[in-house]
Amino acid sequence: MPSTHSAAISFYATYITVASLCLPSRGPFTSIPKTLPPIIFIPWASSVACSRIWLGYHTGAQVIAGVSVGVVTALVWFKLWTSGADVIVTDIVHRILALIPFL
């Protein structure tokens, strides 16, 4: 079974890294270098993933599987979000909720 800790932390580290490098900075974050989030979050995610092995909770293969799931999911979600798919999904959810009479 893949490590869910590794999957979750890899998702966040990947998403934050891709977003900080690919999206324009806005508001109070314009003075922060775009390379700072990856410098913070990639080692953090790596230490959490490695800790799963060091603590004996998972094997290396399980951690690699978890990291792979997290990275792929983050990249797919980022692509969907930046392509406008989030608007389509939100519209679908609103249409479904409108069909439920007690909401």
Side-chain angles (χ1 to χ4, degrees):
M1 172 170 290
S3 167
T4 54
H5 281 86
S6 298
I9 198 68
S10 297
F11 174 89
Y12 289 117
T14 302
Y15 195 86
I16 289 168
T17 297
V18 173
S20 68
L21 296 175
C22 297
L23 298 176
S25 300
R26 296 183 182 176
F29 303 109
T30 55
S31 62
I32 298 174
K34 287 181 162 273
T35 55
L36 184 61
I39 289 171
I40 293 169
F41 288 102
I42 291 174
W44 177 42
S46 299
S47 65
V48 169
C50 288
S51 76
R52 307 314 295 164
I53 299 170
W54 295 331
L55 294 171
Y57 293 122
H58 293 285
T59 65
Q62 290 172 327
V63 169
I64 290 170
V67 168
S68 300
V69 167
V71 168
V72 169
T73 305
L75 294 174
V76 168
W77 187 253
F78 183 80
K79 181 64 179 169
L80 288 171
W81 181 55
T82 56
S83 67
D86 61 322
V87 175
I88 296 168
V89 171
T90 302
D91 183 52
I92 291 169
V93 169
H94 285 241
R95 289 175 187 257
I96 291 170
L97 291 176
L99 297 174
I100 301 172
F102 56 87
L103 293 178

